[in-house]
Amino acid sequence: MLEAAPLTDGWILRHEGDALPAEVPGCVHTDLLAAGVIPDPFLGRNEAEVAWVGRREWTYERELDAGSAQEQTDLVFEGLDTAAEILLDGQLLGRVRNMHRSYRFDVTGLQGRLTVRFASAYTEAEAVRGRLGERPGAYAEPYQYLRKMACSFGWDWGPTLVTAGIWRPVRLEHWSTARIARVRPLVTVEEGTGRVELHVDVERTRVEAELVVEARVGEARARAEIDGSQGVVRLEVADPELWWPRGYGEQALYDVELTLLHGDEALDVWRRRIGFRSVELDTSADAYGTGFTLVVNSERLFARGVNWIPDDVFPSRITRERYRKRLRQAADAGVDLVRVWGGGIYESEDFYTACDELGLLVWQDFPFACAAYPEEQPLRGEVEAEARENVVRLMPHPSLVLWNGNNENLWGFRDWDWERRLAGESWGEGYYLGLLPRVVAELDPTRPYAAGSPWSGSWRHHPNDPAHGTHHSWEVWNRSDYADYRLHVPRFVAEFGWQAPPAYATLRRALPGEELAADSPGMLHHQKAEDGNGKLRRGLERHFAFPEGDFDRWHYLTQVNQARAIAAGIEHWRSHWPVCAGTVVWQLNDCWPVTSWAAIDGDGREKPLYHELRRLYADRLLTVQERGGGLVVAVVNQAAREWTGEVTLRRMSVDGGVLGGASVAFTAGAREVALVRVPRELEPDGAKEFLVANAQGLRALRFPAPDREIPYPRPEFDVELVPGGIAVTAHTLVRDLLLQADRLDPDARADRGLVTLLPGERVTFGVSGWRAPDAAAARAALYCVEPAR
């Protein structure tokens, strides 16, 4: 039987003649940080002080003894970041240049000093650029010239920390006669029968050995011979339980085991978990343009999505528990789709396993983002090799429902002046429209492929045409007010977002000793977006009087604006289902403490946006929208059962008076949207009035004017400590009340975000992790919208 021996211990990192302890898996930055050689690059402006690390060569070493009674021993690296040569006692085993691949070297009977010598990623990228010529990109860093996590080189939410190291596990594998080299599982469901085809590749030491493979899935068993180096095992499971995305059914998973046999001797075993489900992507033309609707088990979905970036700029630090926690947060917010963005990585098995178990659909970008990528060697061969490996590696996961060719590169070619600057040079089109769809069609025909995001499906339409395919909505954040989300109904909104700073406790930890201000040195350093603070200010000034010199109010109001902006988009687009078939918020998470579009900040704390997503992505949503020159209440029902009831409407004044009311019956079918017309006499008239709609515990509000024009009363409310939290009772209208629990205690968390209370209403904020409850502190941690000054 194949024996695997992890090589985690005994590594050293060579640094200027010194030998430092090295952690494997790991990277140079984390080893230097552990040894006290560099300061924490996440704190203050330390990022700039450690920039030299990415410009150096680095060497990892340890002793290796590959002796074994077995016939062959392989040295297996699951991931090397990025350009390196591997030597054993000075003899070259091989050279590598791709972070996204694994590598295997025959070291049978060898022993001695194992050396992994990493070149600077800058040196490698600049050498390739020198041979192939300049290509345009969104950033000046040369990330498009090597197969490495692009955001290592910085992004508009991330630091420039160019890593190197043995970032995934390394081991010795001892084996005899043959081993399983690859298993490609094709899992389908047809007419109530689950079918599994296991396409097996083997590597041999003895070509004459007769080999068979045995497989089992549940009660099903099958056996097949290996012809040369390949074989196919086919199994059927009658009436399998289906795997469903969360909110649509259970996540049934089946254990698969495949054993390679020589006679009665088991040589190697492959084990995975699979799920039976069908997935289609409906891109058919209709009266509105070209659709983009995911269909799972014949059920058409409105995708409630988030974009995922690497959860740490040093991915080797992301543990199974951290993946689980972050994805659990996504699921708890009502998310059912996670897009793995193309400037990052193919994530670890732990990520996809958690998605399988939580019912989170995965949209997987191939790692290309915001740049023109050369199609010549040495890149082309690396692209194909990594695609083939990772398509097969991720195929067992039922959560994976879509392969996507790139992020924004087709759009960039058309709109970002690339076509003129390229002057006929290659830029990646051959990957997205040629190589990658061929690889997916050959290896994984069970899943759809999209050429890019955004992409209209054809050059006949603009790549970012909202009427065709996927759309990225960034003009609103960059140039206008979030109310403009309501001007269009894209077929699928794959990116849109609004910035806000991280939680207060996150800022205090990341910027120790700094007097916080929107434009203080540390705050500016942890704001990577072009004119980010300017856009935050202009976004605020459209709704509020700007709080000059008041950091706490600025911090609160920017959080409010972020939540309201995302709500404006999602409520509008969900109300237009099935024309619009999904929203994917930019972004779920951060890779360090930073002002960004994230719902969960770099320390894992939830912003108010996170809690707002729980409302926006619930199965049932109430929202007031404009239709046909008047107002309607959109009753959005994504549940599997019909929803019937009454919408209670109240036209109110901001001083608390009720100016009119009515109750209107509604019926919203399963997975449907019902529109309830608001009587004209109940539509608010002017800045002093607003509309309240209630139905079965849900509420929607309509304020017809920006906050700076609304004559709010001075907010009055009582605060009391109650078991497990803080209760607030309003005596006036209290709009967007927020408990910033981390101001009570860095470990404290609140169970809800922004809440608007009418006079006489009461709400309880559940609080966990608060070690010393105090009523005065509770009141000081509560913020709400106040009258314009």
Side-chain angles (χ1 to χ4, degrees), residues 135-141 143-144 155 369-372 408 416 418 530:
R135 300 295 197 282
Y139 303 99
E141 300 280 309
Y143 58 90
Q144 66 267 53
W155 219 260
C370 300
E408 298 190 346
W416 301 346
W418 290 4
E530 182 181 0

Side-chain angles (χ1 to χ4, degrees), residues 293 300-302 573-581 671-673:
T293 304
R300 301 175 69 82
L301 311 182
F302 181 97
W573 294 320
R574 280 194 74 181
S575 77
H576 282 279
W577 162 258
V579 177
C580 179
R671 324 287 193 202
E672 291 184 356
V673 178

Side-chain angles (χ1 to χ4, degrees), residues 660-676:
S663 292
V664 183
F666 69 84
T667 297
R671 324 287 193 202
E672 291 184 356
V673 178
L675 300 181
V676 176

Side-chain angles (χ1 to χ4, degrees), residues 125-137 139-145 371-376 418-427:
E126 288 160 359
V128 172
R129 178 171 59 188
R131 293 201 301 272
L132 302 183
E134 290 280 350
R135 300 295 197 282
Y139 303 99
E141 300 280 309
Y143 58 90
Q144 66 267 53
Y145 302 100
Y373 284 77
E375 297 176 40
E376 294 79 16
W418 290 4
E419 189 169 6
R420 179 190 63 80
R421 294 164 61 190
L422 285 163
E425 296 286 353
S426 67
W427 56 275

